[in-house]
Every structure is written in structure tokens, then in C-alpha cells.
């Protein structure tokens, strides 16, 4: 399976878009049903070249009665039913459509409900990050999945941000690199719902580790043991209990959403953006022991190819019979506009266990990059 990612506004208002995406050689499109704020290039759209998306939005009609305390916002930069418009157009071009559903990454709702967001060890809020330790957030996520499947009737469901977000993945201009913070330490949530689940002393240990980082000593000879992560080192004897609490948080949200999906659409294939690292936060949530109820586990492949391939291999080892692994492959900068290089990446990920290619991004790529993506997919399909 080869899937290209796209936004509703890439297709709505551009009659040529469905055939252009189909010409890549993909079978399906991951179409955003809910998405966070962004500024997006639209290099082919007849009406604009840049689209400002100032807040998180839901791209299907919003029925007020379907929501609880948290209700998503509608877009003003595209039609309120842009998902449906785009889905219909893509299906006419012979493409299946999977609803790309972003869950806990929502600055619009986090800003309106600061009591429900992730907070670091110093109490600093992350407004873009709804914390799933709160029932209101879990309820919102469940209702979101229900509405996507009921109103959208997609061919598949893709869950992103199916767990707590962290320090690194947000939307404003980043000005923190000079402080040399450790992102994992600043991603551990100490909101009023999470903190009681940790052993006494957890918050103090994390605060100390952030303010007085320790550079680990380099061993005199290569060690067969993997290096201890900064967060494990900071927590010491508390690490196992805190890690279990964090993994449980993502697992409970995932279980609730999969149950909702099966209730609404029993045969819908479910794809999880996942990370086998038990400390993972962000769009690829922690999944250290697998998820037998999902159909596809997708790993991020935007970084070093060797590390990305190792992550895919780990996900493959977590799979149950019949489950598949997908590689979320970046075909945008800083990757070169080079079909051969992209084809080599795809081959590397296939050897690591990926049987699906999730190509990012069919709407953001200009003509040369689209051509390179097309050529790479053809090379790896021979």
C-alpha cells in the first residue's frame, strides 16, 4: 500500500488535484479530517500559493449536539465541509481515502481550556498539547473519532497524536535551542491529573535534572549495554513506575478510540502513528508493547535513515500476525529533490519491515518534487 498525505484545501477548489495525486502511483490518500494550525504552500492551487491556517480545525460539518465540553473549531480559510468535497473528488479519481485524524495537538482548544493541557515539571503550560490524563480530553478524542467515521465515512482511519504531546512539537517560532534543554525531560507532564500518578519526588528530580544537566561519562571501551537515557538517569529508582504511568496513558486513550471506531465502523482499517520508545511524546505516541487491535503501525522516517529503519524493525517485532508496518517518509526539505535517493530510502525502509509507504506530502510538494516522488515510487515498484 502506498499512501500520499494531503490537506482538504489541496483538493477542494483545484479540479486537477485528484488526477495529479493519482499519477504519483499511490492507491490511497491520507486526508486531514482534523489538523492543527500551520502555514502551507499550495504550489498548484488556482486560487492561492500560500494558505495561513491560524488555528486547529475540524474539516467536516460540526454538529453542536455531537460534542461535549470540548468542541472543535470550523475553518474559515476553506469550506466547512472541505473534507467531504475533497474525499468525493479523490474517490472519483479511483483513490481510497483514509481520514488523517490529529487528536491531542490542538492549540485552539488548549488555549481555551488551560486546565486540560500538558504542563512540565515547573508548571509551564503547553497550550498546543491536550493531556489525555483528563477525561474531558479522552471524551473529546472519542467524539472526534465518532464524528469522523459517522460524517466522513472514510475508507480507513489514521490516528495521530494518540497520546500526550511534548516539548518539541508545537507551532510558534522556536526560540529555545540556546538553553540546551533536554526535550524528554521537559515533555513529562505534571498537570493536575498526571502528577498524582507518579511516586513522591518525581517532580523534584525532573526539575533538578533540567537545571543541572549531567554529561554522561564516555566509557573507556565500547559497552554492550545501551546508554541510559537522560530521563531514566534523572528518575533513577522511580523510572519504572513513572514509565508505566506514561505508557498506560497512551494505551488507555488508544483502547478507548479503537473501541469507538469498532462500534461505529466495525470493519474500518485502523492505522496508528506510533513509536516503540516508552518515553515517546508527540504525534507518534508511545507503543512499547504493540497494539493487536490496529491494522498498521506507522513509524516516523524523517531523521537519520539508519535510526528510522531500526525503529521500523522494532515496530515489526511488535506486530501480531497480519499486522503491517508503515514508513512515514519525508519527501520535502531537507531531503533532496532526487528520485534515486528517495528510492534508496524506500528500499531501506522496506528491508526494515515496512510494507506500506506513507508519503509526506502530496500537497506541499512543487512540480520537481512531485516528479521525483513519482519516479521513486516507480523504481521501487518494479
Amino acid at each position: 500500500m502506498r499512501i500520499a498525505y494531503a490537506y482538504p484545501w489541496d483538493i477542494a477548489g483545484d479540479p486537477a488535484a485528484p488526477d495529479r495525486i493519482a499519477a504519483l502511483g499511490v492507491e490511497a490518500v491520507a486526508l486531514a479530517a482534523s489538523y492543527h494550525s500551520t502555514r502551507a504552500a499550495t504550489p498548484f492551487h488556482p486560487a492561492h500559493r500560500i494558505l495561513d491556517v491560524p488555528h486547529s480545525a475540524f474539516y467536516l460539518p460540526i454538529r453542536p449536539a455531537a460534542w461535549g465540553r470540548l468542541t472543535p473549531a470550523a475553518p474559515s480559510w476553506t469550506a466547512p465541509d472541505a473534507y467531504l468535497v475533497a474525499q468525493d473528488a479523490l474517490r472519483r479519481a479511483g483513490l481510497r481515502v483514509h481520514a488523517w485524524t490529529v487528536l491531542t495537538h490542538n492549540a485552539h482548544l488548549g488555549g481555551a481550556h488551560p486546565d486540560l493541557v500538558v504542563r512540565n515539571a515547573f508548571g509551564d503550560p503547553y497550550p498546543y498539547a491536550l493531556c489525555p490524563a483528563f477525561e474531558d480530553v479522552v471524551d473529546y478524542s472519542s467524539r472526534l473519532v465518532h464524528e469522523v467515521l459517522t460524517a466522513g465515512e472514510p475508507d480507513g482511519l489514521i490516528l495521530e497524536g494518540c497520546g500526550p504531546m511534548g516539548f518539541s512539537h508545537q507551532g510558534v517560532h522556536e526560540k529555545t535551542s540556546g538553553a540546551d534543554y533536554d526535550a524528554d525531560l521537559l515533555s513529562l507532564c505534571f498537570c493536575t491529573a498526571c502528577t498524582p500518578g507518579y511516586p513522591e519526588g518525581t517532580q523534584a528530580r525532573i526539575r533538578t535534572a533540567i537545571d543541572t544537566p549531567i554529561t554522561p561519562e564516555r566509557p573507556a571501551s565500547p559497552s554492550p549495554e545501551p546508554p541510559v537515557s537522560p530521563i531514566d538517569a534523572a528518575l533513577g529508582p522511580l523510572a519504572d513506575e513513572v514509565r508505566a504511568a506514561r505508557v498506560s496513558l497512551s494505551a488507555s486513550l488508544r483502547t478507548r478510540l479503537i473501541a469507538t471506531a469498532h462500534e461505529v465502523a466495525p470493519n474500518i482499517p485502523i492505522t496508528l502513528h506510533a513509536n516503540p520508545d516508552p518515553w515517546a511524546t508527540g504525534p507518534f505516541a508511545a507503543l512499547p508493547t504493540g497494539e493487536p487491535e490496529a491494522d498498521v503501525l506507522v513509524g516516523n522516517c524523517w531523521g537519520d535513515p539508519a535510526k528510522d529503519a531500526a525503529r521500523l524493525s522494532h515496530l515489526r517485532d511488535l506486530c501480531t500476525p497480519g499486522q503491517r508496518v508503515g514508513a512515514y517518509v519525508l519527501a520535502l526539505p531537507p531531503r533532496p529533490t532526487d528520485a534515486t535517493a528517495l528510492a534508496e530510502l524506500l528500499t531501506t525502509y522496506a528491508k526494515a519491515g515496512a510494507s506500506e509507504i506513507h508519503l509526506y506530502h502530496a500537497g506541499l510538494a512543487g512540480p520537481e518534487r512531485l516528479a521525483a516522488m513519482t519516479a521513486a515510487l516507480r523504481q521501487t515498484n518494479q
Side-chain angles (χ1 to χ4, degrees):
M1 171 76 79
R2 294 159 298 182
I3 300 175
Y5 282 61
Y7 303 127
W9 60 78
D10 293 324
I11 293 97
D14 182 1
D19 288 337
R20 183 169 61 247
I21 294 174
L24 287 169
V26 299
E27 293 85 29
V29 172
L31 183 66
S34 65
Y35 202 72
H36 52 75
S37 58
T38 188
R39 183 175 72 161
T42 55
F44 294 95
H45 203 283
H48 43 71
R49 287 294 176 270
I50 296 290
L51 196 68
D52 277 305
V53 176
H55 59 75
S56 307
F58 185 54
Y59 293 95
L60 287 132
I62 295 175
R63 301 183 305 125
W67 303 94
R69 179 185 175 192
L70 303 184
T71 300
S76 60
W77 47 91
T78 190
D81 62 346
Y83 177 92
L84 296 175
V85 172
Q87 179 171 256
D88 289 346
L90 290 167
R91 284 175 170 167
R92 287 194 295 270
L95 294 164
R96 282 171 278 173
V97 179
H98 292 212
W100 178 17
T101 306
V102 175
L103 297 158
T104 60
H105 187 179
N106 194 311
H108 174 78
L109 292 176
H113 302 278
D115 58 312
L116 299 180
V117 303
V118 170
R119 292 177 180 267
N120 64 28
F122 296 93
D124 306 318
Y126 297 158
Y128 53 87
L130 297 172
C131 183
F134 294 104
E135 174 57 27
D136 282 336
V137 174
V138 176
D139 177 71
Y140 159 75
S141 299
S142 179
R143 290 171 186 265
L144 180 60
V145 167
H146 185 280
E147 286 298 281
V148 165
L149 296 179
T150 301
E153 298 184 342
D155 301 304
L157 178 67
I158 298 175
L159 298 178
E160 179 175 306
C162 192
M165 302 297 293
F167 173 68
S168 298
H169 196 88
Q170 42 90 27
V172 299
H173 289 200
E174 186 66 35
K175 301 292 181 182
T176 60
S177 59
D180 296 321
Y181 291 141
D182 182 272
D184 286 341
L185 296 176
L186 278 171
S187 294
L188 192 60
C189 183
F190 289 91
C191 69
T192 57
C194 283
T195 304
Y198 303 148
E200 185 177 354
T202 298
Q203 191 166 9
R205 280 178 172 267
I206 294 297
R207 286 183 173 185
T208 299
I210 290 169
D211 283 346
T212 56
I214 299 173
T215 303
E217 295 183 4
R218 190 182 298 273
S221 58
S223 171
E225 298 296 326
V228 176
S229 71
I231 195 166
D232 280 296
L235 290 170
L238 309 183
D240 288 346
E241 188 173 346
V242 177
R243 187 189 304 110
R246 302 305 293 168
V247 169
S248 175
L249 189 59
S250 295
S252 60
L253 176 63
R254 190 170 65 244
T255 299
R256 174 84 165 264
L257 300 186
I258 291 175
T260 298
H262 285 165
E263 179 183 345
V264 179
N267 298 316
I268 194 82
I270 297 173
T271 296
L272 293 174
H273 284 192
N275 189 332
D277 181 354
W279 293 116
T281 57
F284 291 76
L287 191 83
T289 58
E291 175 49 72
E293 294 300 316
D295 296 275
V296 187
L297 307 180
V298 174
N300 184 275
C301 295
W302 287 26
D304 174 73
K307 293 180 179 179
D308 294 341
R311 187 180 304 113
L312 295 176
S313 294
H314 196 164
L315 288 174
R316 178 195 60 199
D317 293 341
L318 296 174
C319 283
T320 56
Q323 277 189 318
R324 304 183 300 280
V325 170
Y328 192 60
V329 181
L330 180 68
L332 303 176
R335 301 294 193 205
T337 309
D338 185 328
T340 300
L342 180 56
E344 290 175 355
L345 279 179
L346 300 183
T347 300
T348 296
Y349 300 144
K351 289 179 179 178
S355 59
E356 290 196 0
I357 296 299
H358 290 235
L359 202 58
Y360 187 94
H361 182 287
L364 297 172
E368 291 185 6
R369 286 191 177 273
L370 275 186
M373 292 158 65
T374 303
L377 289 173
R378 286 176 179 169
Q379 289 180 37
T380 54
N381 198 38
Q382 291 176 351

